[in-house]
Amino acid sequence: MSGESERAGDDRGRGSDDEERGEKIEWGEGDPRVLFAMNLVLSTAFAAVVVYGLSYLDLAAFSVVNVASAALVLTAITYLVTN
């Protein structure tokens, strides 16, 4: 019985700590360098898929230049939309 009461006390203690921490957390926008890197990686991956699809349809060649160009355009558009 003492084990149960100790565990119950621990759970209550943790819950109140979590509530206190939740009140203290302030959500920020994040590190701009990390956000830019994520934007660049995800835009490059999406650009590669788009250029591959266009090359599959024989509308564009699948090349590093085309993927990089599309990635830069997507990164710029994403940056402008989010800021």
Side-chain angles (χ1 to χ4, degrees):
M1 183 165 156
S2 65
E4 291 179 19
S5 62
E6 287 176 12
R7 276 185 261 144
D10 288 343
D11 289 343
R12 280 181 278 166
R14 281 189 220 137
S16 63
D17 288 342
D18 289 342
E19 291 171 4
E20 290 174 10
R21 284 187 208 138
E23 292 172 1
K24 293 179 183 177
I25 293 176
E26 294 181 20
W27 293 101
E29 293 183 16
D31 188 4
R33 296 171 294 184
V34 173
L35 295 175
F36 180 74
M38 287 176 53
N39 185 10
L40 193 60
V41 168
L42 293 173
S43 293
T44 303
F46 185 69
V49 170
V50 168
V51 173
Y52 176 78
L54 291 174
S55 71
Y56 185 76
L57 297 173
D58 290 330
L59 297 175
F62 185 75
S63 67
V64 174
V65 173
N66 286 345
V67 172
S69 300
L72 288 175
V73 169
L74 285 171
T75 302
I77 289 171
T78 306
Y79 179 77
L80 291 174
V81 168
T82 58
N83 287 331

